Amino acid sequence: MKSIDERHQEDLAHGRMIWVRFPDSPMCRHLTMTEFEEAKKQFNKEAIRVQQETGADRVVYATKSYNQDGSIKSAQLGIIPMTAEEYERRTTGTDEMVYTVYKR
């Protein structure tokens, strides 16, 4: 199994990079896919913590939208607690992949 650094270097060599918007900055960061996946894991952990603390029905922690050829157009990370109704309203009919923690 490859280390994170080896996967990162492979992503760089093959041009697997995406622009990602973080909640703490108006500017996007250019990340490798490995860096994005690692950041997404950290936001997932934070979303779980926020969901447990707030009791929110849903906590969105990442989104990705795609071009028609299947390549990633944009990605965003953040912690957004919502009610089930608000989540349905905001995500129904969207063409984005929405990463969410759900209340059990």
Side-chain angles (χ1 to χ4, degrees), residues 3 21 44 61 65:
S3 71
R21 182 175 304 272
N44 175 264
Y61 61 92
S65 60

Side-chain angles (χ1 to χ4, degrees), residues 43-52 59 61 79 101:
F43 274 81
N44 175 264
K45 289 177 185 177
E46 179 65 13
I48 291 169
R49 187 190 65 73
V50 167
Q51 196 283 321
Q52 291 171 343
V59 180
Y61 61 92
I79 303 296
V101 173

Side-chain angles (χ1 to χ4, degrees), residues 20-67:
V20 180
R21 182 175 304 272
F22 282 78
D24 61 348
S25 173
M27 303 296 286
C28 291
R29 296 184 204 167
H30 206 205
L31 303 180
T32 65
M33 288 303 296
T34 299
E35 290 171 321
F36 174 69
E37 291 301 322
E38 290 301 311
K40 195 170 66 167
K41 285 179 191 176
Q42 294 304 313
F43 274 81
N44 175 264
K45 289 177 185 177
E46 179 65 13
I48 291 169
R49 187 190 65 73
V50 167
Q51 196 283 321
Q52 291 171 343
E53 282 183 5
T54 65
D57 295 324
R58 314 277 189 271
V59 180
V60 173
Y61 61 92
T63 62
K64 284 194 289 190
S65 60
Y66 296 88
N67 293 311

